[in-house]
Amino acid sequence: MVCLGNICRSPLAEGILKEKLPNNLFTVDSAGTAGFHIGRPPDPRSIDVAAQNGISIGHLKAREFTPADFRKFDKIYVMDRQNLSQVQSLAATPEEENKVTLIMESEEIPDPYYGGVEDFKTVFDLLNTACNARRDQLLKNLS
């Protein structure tokens, strides 16, 4: 899961998808394309909206996406087209580039950072829907 700073959208997406997948079969992580917040926990509003939905993300720490992530992960879901382009630009091969897709396939997840609590709730709902679809795809691929 990748967004810009790894404190709003991507940690929410990480927490949501982790809740939906068997942890013995999948590794879910998140990162940002910019190193603004490395080592910091998610935005308190992300932590709160996740907790309101029974998901704990307060222990997560922001990190920057690196080319090594292409080798570590089979799928890389990004929140918007800017981050899609940024991550794809780091790919060394067409196979790595093909691992990267928008989490909602054709829509972007808006960045709630400069908004209010309601924006974070909206992002949570969008990500929950997207993660349901991704869960279904990932589990289908196992069979």
Side-chain angles (χ1 to χ4, degrees), residues 24 30 33 36 84 109-110 112 131 137:
N24 62 325
S30 63
T33 55
F36 305 136
L84 177 72
I109 302 291
C131 287
Q137 290 172 337

Side-chain angles (χ1 to χ4, degrees), residues 2-93:
V2 183
C3 67
L4 181 63
N6 192 214
I7 61 166
C8 295
R9 296 170 290 176
S10 57
L12 272 175
E14 176 184 348
I16 294 167
L17 192 58
K18 276 182 177 176
E19 288 291 317
K20 296 178 182 298
L21 291 172
N23 63 4
N24 62 325
L25 298 176
F26 294 92
T27 299
V28 181
D29 195 7
S30 63
T33 55
F36 305 136
H37 307 287
I38 292 174
R40 292 191 194 154
D43 185 291
R45 296 166 294 179
S46 285
I47 294 170
D48 288 346
V49 75
Q52 291 166 16
N53 288 278
I55 299 171
S56 174
I57 64 169
H59 62 284
L60 301 177
K61 300 290 181 216
R63 70 177 188 86
E64 192 168 1
F65 184 88
T66 69
D69 288 319
F70 287 110
R71 293 180 293 284
K72 186 173 180 184
F73 299 101
D74 296 324
K75 303 279 185 190
I76 299 168
Y77 300 119
V78 298
M79 303 299 127
D80 57 48
R81 287 180 180 82
Q82 176 188 347
N83 288 296
L84 177 72
S85 176
Q86 184 73 19
V87 171
Q88 287 176 328
S89 75
L90 297 173
T93 66

Side-chain angles (χ1 to χ4, degrees), residues 87-106:
V87 171
Q88 287 176 328
S89 75
L90 297 173
T93 66
E95 292 78 20
E96 288 181 353
E97 188 173 339
N98 288 333
K99 290 182 176 188
V100 188
T101 187
L102 288 171
I103 191 164
M104 288 191 67
E105 295 183 357
S106 61

